């Protein structure tokens, strides 16, 4: 029987970027946008606050974009400071690349494993689904989901008792499955 685990975000991740005021390198997104119009052109920024000094920085979302090319629904969400839109834009690789930032997901996600009573079986087939593109080490997910230490999971992988079609070393942010044989 296949178990379904879900990696879900609990809050917005921290933005990794140098602060020009203090030595901090982390910014907290608060889900607010600044929309500035220049006649028929729009500039849109996602505002983030320095975790050290509280200085506001702007992440460029749209730059000198014609107003007519922006969907009315998107414009309403920007004006309404939609936190779900902020989460979407933070996960957009183009926005992160344009602003030269990366995300720190530590403490901003949780693993939902469902019913833990079935974990005493000899063979467990698990499908791990990501609700957002959160880079996590599969070894950490397996250890947390099964309630065993990471070193034990790595030993089981080396012995061939944890198998998957994806490489279980490194980080993953996409769905995968694995089988655990006790």
């Amino acid at each position: 029987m296949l178990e379904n685990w879900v990696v879900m975000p609990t809050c917005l991740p921290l933005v990794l970027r140098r602060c020009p005021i203090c030595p901090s390198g982390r910014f907290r997104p608060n889900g607010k946008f600044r929309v500035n119009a220049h006649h028929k052109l729009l500039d849109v920024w996602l505002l983030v606050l320095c975790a050290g000094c509280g200085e506001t920085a702007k992440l460029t979302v749209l730059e000198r974009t014609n107003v007519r090319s922006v969907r009315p629904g998107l414009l309403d969400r920007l004006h309404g400071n939609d936190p779900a839109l902020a989460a979407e834009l933070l996960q957009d690789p183009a926005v992160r690349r344009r602003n030269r930032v990366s995300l720190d997901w530590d403490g901003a996600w949780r693993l939902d494993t469902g019913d833990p009573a079935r974990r005493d079986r000899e063979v467990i087939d698990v499908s791990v689904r990501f609700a957002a593109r959160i880079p996590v080490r599969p070894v950490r997910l397996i250890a947390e989901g099964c309630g065993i230490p990471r070193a034990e999971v790595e030993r089981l992988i080396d012995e061939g008792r944890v198998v998957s079609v994806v490489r279980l070393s490194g980080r993953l942010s996409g769905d995968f499955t694995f089988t655990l044989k006790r």
Side-chain angles (χ1 to χ4, degrees):
M1 189 162 146
L2 183 68
E3 286 190 30
N4 294 306
W5 294 359
V6 181
V7 178
M8 5 183 38
T10 56
C11 61
L12 293 175
L14 292 176
V15 175
L16 299 177
R17 174 184 178 164
R18 281 190 36 225
C19 179
I21 307 297
C22 74
S24 176
R26 299 182 187 293
F27 284 80
R28 291 184 317 274
N30 57 3
K32 295 191 188 284
F33 294 92
R34 177 162 183 228
V35 181
N36 195 11
H38 304 279
H39 303 287
K40 295 181 182 181
L41 301 177
L42 281 181
D43 287 326
V44 178
W45 299 279
L46 174 62
L47 302 178
V48 292
L49 302 172
C50 177
C53 65
E55 177 72 17
T56 300
K58 301 183 288 189
L59 302 180
T60 303
V61 176
L62 297 174
E63 193 169 37
R64 300 289 182 196
T65 304
N66 193 314
V67 175
R68 292 184 187 265
S69 67
V70 179
R71 295 184 324 270
L74 175 61
L75 199 52
D76 290 341
R77 290 176 74 189
L78 290 167
H79 283 296
N81 292 320
D82 185 0
L85 179 61
E88 290 173 29
L89 291 172
L90 281 173
Q91 293 182 39
D92 184 359
V95 171
R96 289 197 321 257
R97 191 173 30 257
R98 177 186 299 138
N99 292 286
R100 295 184 181 106
V101 298
S102 58
L103 302 178
D104 179 8
W105 282 96
D106 286 346
W109 61 273
R110 68 179 172 87
L111 178 65
D112 183 15
T113 59
D115 183 21
R118 301 178 293 187
R119 302 241 163 63
D120 56 353
R121 296 190 317 256
E122 284 296 313
V123 177
I124 302 171
D125 291 317
V126 178
S127 171
V128 179
R129 188 176 63 80
F130 287 78
R133 291 167 48 198
I134 304 170
V136 182
R137 296 184 187 282
V139 171
R140 179 177 180 186
L141 291 177
I142 296 168
E144 189 173 315
C146 295
I148 57 178
R150 287 188 211 174
E152 177 73 12
V153 173
E154 289 174 355
R155 186 182 61 77
L156 292 172
I157 290 171
D158 290 341
E159 292 175 358
R161 294 176 36 196
V162 175
V163 292
S164 178
V165 295
V166 299
R167 189 172 54 106
L168 296 175
S169 61
R171 293 180 183 257
L172 290 176
S173 60
D175 301 350
F176 69 98
T177 59
F178 70 91
T179 302
L180 170 65
K181 302 170 193 167
R182 294 193 189 247

